[in-house]
Amino acid sequence: MAAPNPAPRPARPILRQSLSSNSFIQDHQQYKPPVPVTQNIEDVLGVSRESLLASLSNLHLNSMSPDPENVTESGIIHTIFNQQTNPLSTGTSKLVATLFYKSANPVHPHLHPDSSLNANNLPSPTVPVGSAPTIDMEKIPREPPAPEPEPLDHLYGPFVSQLCLTNFLQIIESLSTPYQRMNTSHRCLDKDDQPRVVEVTLSPPPNPEYLSFGDLRKHESIWRFEREWNVEVVLQKESVFRRHKRLVVFDMDSTLIQNEVIDEIAKFIGVEKEVSDITERAMNGELDFSASLRERVGLLKGVPADVFEKLKSVITISPGARELCRALKKLGCKLAVLSGGFQPLAEWLAEQLGIDYAFANHLEVDAASQTLTGKLVPTYPIIDASKKRELLKSLAADNGIPISQVVSVGDGANDLLMLHAAGLGVAWRAKTKVQLEAPTRLNGESMDDILYLFGLTREDIKELIAEDA
């Protein structure tokens, strides 16, 4: 005779979301055997099964075949958390993150030859710097180099992919201390299919008592995310002033134009090497700007005063600069160029781009010989870092514009003060030191990328930069 079946064992305790609830009784309900269900749907509704089925059949509903012309919100919230809603009070602050895929600089060091379209053109393998033996004791690594993050854009697409966006949201949400759920939304600003620019709105931001906005912009997790996905992230506080700017100030050399003017002048007299070395060190913040400027200007002694007319033919305006200035003017912005270069070219560039104000350094000219004396005009101030910041603030005050509606764009160390002083400071294709210290940075191919930071879409930008009929 078969042995009777043993009584079923009670269910094992399960791990709750929290370690304990507010009720001692609820914490121990899982140890009790389940209560048998004696009620049926008829008992609950108080109607017979036949009448219930008849009433449902009259609705002619088919949940599997919704009307394609009238798709409505189901009201169902899918979440791994207990709460079904995450309501936010009116006025909750928001952050806006603009993600730019760096299409001009793809990073794919681990492409397999079998999966590459250009298998024969793959670069040769190289030994990472610092990992090879050396006989120089000063160069021996004290510890193994930190592993580089695996580039993921070549696996999931050379654009801001869905997985890239999901990863970013996970990182941002993990930074809140104490932990809090965020409401998020996103817009593809250039195109919906394989977007290069995506705007993400997050609310509420991390508690500033634990993580300030400045620290969030420089957070190591975001920096690593940028390298993994080959993107750049620009974080801004959401407000009406983020979307509506009224004053934009630019550096000139290596920003609005691709040249360094003083280096171009030096070519005329054969001292380009000496001048460019000093310029590079000054722009990287290794030298005092005013002192280095005087030193470089001294090397220009004897250059014909009409050199600026000759330079106009070799000056290259940066890609997108014309379109950016045209769009900003149509939006009603005041524009200014604040340059550590020289006034004649700053004024010429302002005329070319429709810029309202031009401030730069004035070179002294010998009236008799019509050549440069190698000195600056003493009655004009040197346009250094502090002077640029001062001019930015005075232009805003003179036009009745709050600092939150001011944008500054530059690339050198002498631009850092004005980048930090503006409501939005953008380091455009900047020097290494500036990239690290500036509030935000962009390294795109066209300067009109800056318009995306105002929340404008590609269609908006096309309409703004269109030539007037």
Side-chain angles (χ1 to χ4, degrees):
M1 183 175 179
N5 292 330
R9 298 179 61 183
R12 295 178 63 85
I14 60 175
L15 181 64
R16 297 181 182 275
Q17 184 183 353
S18 58
L19 296 180
S20 63
S21 70
N22 296 327
S23 170
F24 176 83
I25 296 177
Q26 291 179 2
D27 287 337
H28 292 79
Q29 287 295 325
Q30 58 187 322
Y31 292 96
K32 295 183 179 181
V35 178
V37 178
T38 59
Q39 288 183 314
N40 56 35
I41 190 63
E42 299 173 19
D43 299 327
V44 174
L45 298 178
V47 296
S48 66
R49 185 181 301 272
E50 291 75 11
S51 61
L52 177 63
L53 292 175
S55 61
L56 290 176
S57 63
N58 293 331
L59 295 177
H60 301 291
L61 296 178
N62 184 354
S63 60
M64 300 301 294
S65 302
D67 184 352
E69 300 299 329
N70 293 303
V71 179
T72 59
E73 174 60 49
S74 67
I76 300 173
I77 298 176
H78 303 277
T79 175
I80 62 174
F81 297 91
N82 284 341
Q83 65 267 26
Q84 293 298 299
T85 59
N86 185 23
L88 294 174
S89 60
T90 303
T92 301
S93 58
K94 300 178 181 179
L95 286 182
V96 172
T98 311
L99 279 60
F100 293 82
Y101 179 73
K102 297 166 66 175
S103 56
N105 186 29
V107 183
H108 303 153
H110 305 307
L111 282 177
H112 193 279
D114 294 341
S115 63
S116 173
L117 297 177
N118 300 310
N120 296 327
N121 299 324
L122 290 178
S124 301
T126 58
V127 178
V129 177
S131 62
T134 176
I135 58 174
D136 187 347
M137 294 297 293
E138 293 300 321
K139 294 182 180 179
I140 293 180
R142 271 41 175 188
E143 59 184 30
E148 287 293 307
E150 171 73 17
L152 299 176
D153 58 320
H154 72 287
L155 298 176
Y156 299 99
F159 49 88
V160 181
S161 62
Q162 291 184 1
L163 194 59
C164 170
L165 183 59
T166 301
N167 188 198
F168 176 71
L169 295 177
Q170 290 173 332
I171 291 171
I172 291 292
E173 192 168 275
S174 69
L175 299 180
S176 292
T177 305
Y179 176 77
Q180 59 183 348
R181 288 285 288 161
M182 285 184 176
N183 284 358
T184 62
S185 62
H186 76 275
R187 295 191 302 149
C188 300
L189 298 185
D190 58 339
K191 55 184 178 179
D192 292 333
D193 180 35
Q194 301 186 357
R196 184 179 65 89
V197 188
V198 175
E199 178 185 277
V200 185
T201 303
L202 313 109
S203 182
N207 190 332
E209 294 183 3
Y210 297 93
L211 182 63
S212 70
F213 180 60
D215 290 339
L216 176 62
R217 277 176 157 175
K218 305 292 184 182
H219 201 282
E220 180 181 353
S221 296
I222 296 179
W223 180 69
R224 184 178 180 88
F225 164 80
E226 290 179 315
R227 295 166 66 203
E228 283 182 333
W229 292 98
N230 194 31
V231 299
E232 290 183 308
V233 178
V234 177
L235 287 172
Q236 301 180 77
K237 294 180 181 179
E238 175 62 311
S239 75
V240 67
F241 298 129
R242 176 189 78 89
R243 301 185 297 274
H244 301 283
K245 302 298 185 184
R246 296 172 58 197
L247 172 64
V248 184
V249 301
F250 298 95
D251 175 45
M252 182 172 69
D253 295 15
S254 298
T255 303
L256 285 177
I257 63 175
Q258 295 184 314
N259 316 70
E260 286 287 343
V261 172
I262 196 167
D263 293 350
E264 298 293 339
I265 299 176
K267 291 180 181 179
F268 282 88
I269 56 174
V271 292
E272 178 187 4
K273 181 65 169 61
E274 295 88 334
V275 171
S276 60
D277 287 346
I278 300 173
T279 301
E280 182 177 1
R281 294 178 63 194
M283 292 300 100
N284 281 319
E286 300 173 19
L287 299 174
D288 175 74
F289 179 80
S290 297
S292 67
L293 178 64
R294 290 190 178 94
E295 183 179 354
R296 286 175 289 165
V297 168
L299 296 173
L300 305 182
K301 184 177 180 179
V303 174
D306 63 353
V307 65
F308 296 109
E309 288 298 324
K310 298 177 181 178
L311 283 179
K312 292 177 183 178
S313 61
V314 301
I315 294 298
T316 303
I317 295 177
S318 297
R322 291 184 184 275
E323 292 78 5
L324 172 61
C325 291
R326 185 184 306 131
L328 291 172
K329 292 298 291 184
K330 287 187 178 180
L331 290 172
C333 293
K334 292 288 186 180
L335 306 182
V337 55
L338 310 180
S339 174
F342 304 113
Q343 190 68 24
L345 281 180
E347 292 178 352
W348 170 80
L349 184 64
E351 182 180 350
Q352 294 291 309
L353 301 180
I355 293 175
D356 303 286
Y357 306 97
F359 297 91
N361 296 300
H362 291 71
L363 289 173
E364 190 177 66
V365 177
D366 182 14
S369 62
Q370 285 298 300
T371 59
L372 302 181
T373 65
K375 298 179 181 179
L376 295 168
V377 178
T379 55
Y380 289 94
I382 292 178
I383 309 299
D384 57 7
S386 59
K387 189 62 179 178
K388 286 188 176 185
R389 178 175 59 183
E390 179 186 332
L391 287 168
L392 180 149
K393 293 181 177 180
S394 64
L395 287 172
D398 292 344
N399 288 277
I401 300 174
I403 290 296
S404 56
Q405 289 184 277
V406 178
V407 181
S408 58
V409 184
D411 76 299
N414 65 323
D415 297 317
L416 277 171
L417 293 182
M418 79 171 185
L419 294 181
H420 284 284
L424 172 63
V426 181
W428 176 256
R429 301 181 66 90
K431 310 300 185 290
T432 301
K433 174 184 174 67
V434 185
Q435 299 249 10
L436 293 173
E437 297 186 15
T440 62
R441 69 189 187 282
L442 282 179
N443 292 277
E445 299 178 75
S446 175
M447 289 193 75
D448 62 10
D449 274 358
I450 294 172
L451 294 169
Y452 288 119
L453 301 181
F454 305 165
L456 298 174
T457 65
R458 187 69 240 173
E459 292 304 314
D460 296 331
I461 295 173
K462 286 181 179 178
E463 184 175 355
L464 288 170
I465 65 178
E467 294 283 358
D468 295 327

